[in-house]
């Protein structure tokens, strides 16, 4: 069984997907963290996303994997906290838009999730990675609510930012993600939309579980 949960940044995808996976006793795959891992690797290597030839050659040698605790590793180094910085958040959309990056990540995601029951969340799971997923959901939320959530995430890693700047950053990222040529952010025709603006995480999880159980 494949459950696809798509949506824009800070709409509640990651926490909800993790909770759904726990409730159902299946694997959770955070595809967004894979793109963040590539972004971190390119940044540390000093490779600009505009240099697509260098990017393609570089990522061919990258080893990105998850351990038994679902922590992400880059070349055997745990980078689960490193990829959550605002520095990475500001750069990940540009890296994610690259065809070479998306092609490599889609292959990896299908390889990991194609062998087991899995909940995947991202921006193109239901449209590109697993267009025939058994269940598809698309989470949305008010931009101010999303900015407040992002601020809480930053505070957990001892970073902070003005809420107005975060709102603008999120709007800019939405524009990049929705207008990119390769695998743009969009709701699959058969996905069920869920507005999480006024829902708690538990309510989001329960809503999705109830829909799956009814089917």
């Amino acid at each position: 069984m494949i459950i696809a949960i798509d949506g824009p940044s800070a709409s509640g995808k990651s926490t909800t997907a993790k909770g759904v996976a726990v409730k159902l006793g299946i694997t959770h795959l955070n595809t967004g963290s894979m793109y963040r891992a590539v972004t971190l690797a390119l940044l540390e290597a000093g490779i600009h996303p505009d240099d697509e030839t260098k990017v393609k050659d570089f990522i061919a040698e990258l080893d990105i994997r998850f351990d038994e605790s679902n922590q992400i590793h880059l070349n055997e180094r745990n980078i689960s906290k490193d990829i959550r910085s605002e520095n990475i958040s500001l750069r990940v959309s540009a890296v994610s838009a690259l065809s070479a990056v998306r092609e490599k990540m889609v292959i990896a995601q299908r390889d990991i999730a194609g062998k087991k029951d899995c909940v995947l969340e991202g921006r193109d799971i239901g449209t590109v990675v697993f267009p025939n997923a058994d269940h598809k959901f698309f989470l949305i939320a008010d931009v101010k609510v999303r900015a407040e959530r992002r601020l809480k995430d930053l505070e957990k890693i001892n970073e902070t930012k003005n809420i107005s700047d975060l709102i603008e950053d999120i709007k800019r990222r939405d524009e990049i993600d929705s207008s990119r040529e390769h695998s743009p952010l969009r709701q699959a025709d058969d996905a069920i939309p869920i507005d999480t603006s006024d829902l708690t995480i538990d309510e989001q999880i329960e809503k999705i579980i109830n829909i799956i159980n009814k089917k």
Side-chain angles (χ1 to χ4, degrees):
M1 177 173 64
I2 296 293
I3 301 169
I5 301 179
D6 290 308
S9 171
S11 56
K13 301 187 303 296
S14 297
T15 309
T16 301
K18 183 177 180 181
V20 169
V22 169
K23 285 268 189 179
L24 295 176
I26 63 178
T27 300
H28 164 229
L29 179 59
N30 183 335
T31 65
S33 64
M34 298 173 74
Y35 289 101
R36 285 174 173 269
V38 175
T39 304
L40 176 66
L42 291 173
L43 184 63
E44 291 181 341
I47 298 174
H48 196 281
D50 286 346
D51 193 338
E52 292 201 46
T53 300
K54 271 191 177 180
V55 170
K56 187 173 184 178
D57 291 342
F58 179 73
I59 64 173
E61 303 301 322
L62 289 184
D63 178 30
I64 297 173
R65 65 183 64 205
F66 295 88
D67 63 21
E68 294 179 355
S69 300
N70 217 25
Q71 298 278 298
I72 191 165
H73 292 247
L74 172 65
N75 298 333
E76 300 185 1
R77 165 184 150 217
N78 190 325
I79 56 167
S80 299
K81 289 185 178 179
D82 300 333
I83 61 173
R84 293 297 156 194
S85 72
E86 184 64 2
N87 196 25
I88 298 300
S89 294
L90 292 172
R91 290 171 166 78
V92 66
S93 286
V95 173
S96 299
L98 301 175
S99 59
V101 173
R102 298 208 73 83
E103 287 167 8
K104 181 179 174 67
M105 293 299 100
V106 168
I107 290 171
Q109 290 154 20
R110 286 174 176 165
D111 182 59
I112 295 170
K115 303 170 183 174
K116 60 187 79 175
D117 292 334
C118 194
V119 182
L120 297 93
E121 40 94 2
R123 285 164 176 73
D124 63 349
I125 307 304
T127 55
V128 176
V129 185
F130 284 103
N132 296 319
D134 301 276
H135 305 278
K136 298 181 186 180
F137 300 92
F138 193 86
L139 306 191
I140 58 173
D142 177 80
V143 68
K144 187 173 185 295
V145 172
R146 292 161 60 198
E148 289 169 348
R149 291 172 179 169
R150 180 60 187 151
L151 182 60
K152 288 180 182 178
D153 289 341
L154 288 174
E155 289 172 346
K156 290 178 183 177
I157 57 174
N158 298 316
E159 290 189 24
T160 189
K161 194 167 185 177
N162 181 282
I163 193 73
S164 298
D165 290 340
L166 279 174
I167 288 174
E168 291 307 309
D169 289 344
I170 288 173
K171 287 180 178 179
R172 191 178 307 112
R173 187 171 178 189
D174 285 350
E175 174 61 26
I176 294 172
D177 289 345
S178 300
S179 61
R180 68 191 180 207
E181 181 181 356
H182 304 285
S183 306
L185 166 68
R186 68 175 180 83
Q187 180 180 320
D189 293 337
D190 53 347
I192 297 172
I194 298 177
D195 190 332
T196 68
S197 300
D198 299 314
L199 297 178
T200 66
I201 291 298
D202 286 343
E203 288 171 338
Q204 292 168 209
I205 294 169
E206 198 63 31
K207 187 163 188 157
I208 289 176
I209 292 292
N210 286 339
I211 292 171
I212 291 172
N213 285 338
K214 284 180 182 178
K215 285 189 175 182

